[in-house]
């Protein structure tokens, strides 16, 4: 079965987003990450920054409350919490993007949302703590919190969000066609392995 | 860092053992599976068949009791349960095998036992239920139990054994450099990906 849709799930700081972009460039297909966020934002009425920051966070986060209804769309949430409302929109957007044609989708639980598409290949990128800590400081700069604390907090949020909306355990190999440790394999090599597999599926 | 030791952990019926053997043949390095079992058996005094059947099973299995002391080695278990005794021997044998030189080791929690060796690459092979059910019937024949029941029982035993002796969750991507779904990628292709990575590490 030809693989047309590549979903890339990733640990924060693992380089998964970069790998996703490399795959899209090498295959010359669209890459959805911030673009996806923007589209979700436009449909939901949320500000892009808000969606970007909360789209993969815990549904129990203090940021998520019924008080955060999007401006200008009164009543549109149909009694759903902000997180559930966002989840429904994310599902619809991702299903639509996959229907549009070949693409790479990073994050947003797309592996689960597209689990029943036989033409989708699901990738999980992870890396050891040292690699990730070094990477986030290099890419996003220092902050008041130690990098390992930032990573642990982000990991926990993604894990809780994923568990809540999919019923699956975050990081289980069985949810993916391919899981790669970018810290031992290398970011570029991870992309090459996936690209080769996609090409071989044609 | 050059990868010399390849550990292959696998779901029953996923073709992980076959993939391990292919990797060893393509790299022209020793392959340890039954050979390893035999060595463990010789050191422990257990019959090879007993070790093969119980080496990855639940420590709570009814087969494991203090009553199963190996014949001819009275007192050698030092008060350990059969399962714990076997685990200690497995650890020693696997550490020794890795010290001997490049090799492929399938199963026996070798990923955990060799986790601190930077020259080891850890692989996990899994596959969907249909693929595995078809494979075990083809390779091992029919039995009274449905193939899916046999798979679920075997999965549970490996999961419990792994959790008990390693404190880790069986199948978590983070425990491995590379996790591959042999049912979507193909058995031969899985071996090729690993071989290429090992060669690239030199």
């Amino acid at each position: 079965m030809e693989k047309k849709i590549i979903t890339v799930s990733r640990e924060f700081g693992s380089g998964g987003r970069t790998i996703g972009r490399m795959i899209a460039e090498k295959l010359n297909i669209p890459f959805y990450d911030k673009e996806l966020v923007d589209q979700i934002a436009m449909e939901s009425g949320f500000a892009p920054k808000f969606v970007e920051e909360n789209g993969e966070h815990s549904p129990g986060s203090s940021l998520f409350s019924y008080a955060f209804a999007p401006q200008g769309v009164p009543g549109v949430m149909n009694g759903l919490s902000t997180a559930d409302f966002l989840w429904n929109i994310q599902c619809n957007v991702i299903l639509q993007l996959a229907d549009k044609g070949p693409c790479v989708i990073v994050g947003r639980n797309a592996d689960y949302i597209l689990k029943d598409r036989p033409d989708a290949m699901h990738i999980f990128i992870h890396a050891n703590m040292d690699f990730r800590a070094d990477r986030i400081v290099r890419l996003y700069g220092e902050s008041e919190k130690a990098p390992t604390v930032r990573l642990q907090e982000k990991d926990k949020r993604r894990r809780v969000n994923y568990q809540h909306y999919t019923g699956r355990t975050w990081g289980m190999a069985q949810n993916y066609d391919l899981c790669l440790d970018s810290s031992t394999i290398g970011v570029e090599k991870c992309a090459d392995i996936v690209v080769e597999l996609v090409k071989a599926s044609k």
Side-chain angles (χ1 to χ4, degrees), chain A:
Chain A
M1 163 64 77
E2 183 178 348
K3 301 295 183 183
K4 294 176 178 168
I5 316 296
I6 321 299
T7 73
V8 181
S9 307
R10 74 290 180 228
E11 287 186 337
F12 184 52
S14 68
R17 194 171 170 279
T18 302
I19 291 167
R21 198 191 303 110
M22 283 178 175
I23 295 167
E25 283 170 4
K26 285 169 194 270
L27 292 172
N28 197 26
I29 59 178
F31 170 71
Y32 298 115
D33 186 20
K34 278 191 190 298
E35 292 81 347
L36 168 64
V37 169
D38 290 345
Q39 188 162 345
I40 292 168
M42 279 189 291
E43 294 201 19
S44 68
F46 284 100
K49 188 71 182 165
F50 178 82
V51 177
E52 187 184 355
E53 285 177 353
N54 296 286
E56 293 176 320
H57 282 192
S58 160
S61 160
S62 62
L63 274 170
F64 284 103
S65 73
Y66 294 86
F68 273 79
Q71 289 187 328
V73 278
V76 77
M77 286 169 67
N78 297 320
L80 295 172
S81 71
T82 308
D84 289 347
F85 180 71
L86 206 54
W87 169 250
N88 284 348
I89 293 168
Q90 281 179 355
C91 287
N92 287 333
V93 170
I94 286 170
L95 289 166
Q96 286 167 23
L97 288 173
D99 275 341
K100 272 175 65 182
C103 62
V104 175
I105 304 175
V106 173
R108 317 299 181 207
N109 302 344
D111 59 303
Y112 176 79
I113 296 165
L114 300 176
K115 69 179 163 37
D116 296 325
R117 277 192 80 114
D119 63 347
M121 182 184 285
H122 306 296
I123 316 295
F124 182 74
I125 307 292
H126 57 96
N128 64 45
M129 198 53 105
D130 286 349
F131 178 92
R132 295 163 64 202
D134 176 68
R135 195 172 167 90
I136 65 166
V137 168
R138 206 152 32 83
L139 291 182
Y140 308 115
E142 300 274 1
S143 82
E144 282 181 17
K145 290 179 186 168
T148 49
V149 173
R150 289 159 69 189
L151 288 169
Q152 281 159 356
E153 287 178 357
K154 200 92 169 182
D155 285 348
K156 187 180 174 189
R157 283 173 173 170
R158 287 196 182 161
R159 191 168 61 241
V160 171
N161 176 283
Y162 190 78
Q163 166 78 36
H164 181 81
Y165 285 108
T166 71
R168 291 170 161 188
T169 302
W170 171 252
M172 284 297 283
Q174 288 88 340
N175 299 339
Y176 307 94
D177 296 286
L178 194 72
C179 303
L180 300 164
D181 184 333
S182 56
S183 53
T184 60
I185 293 173
V187 165
E188 180 105 27
K189 186 70 190 163
C190 288
D192 288 343
I193 290 172
V194 177
V195 167
E196 203 203 315
L197 276 179
V198 173
K199 286 183 176 171
S201 75
K202 287 181 183 174

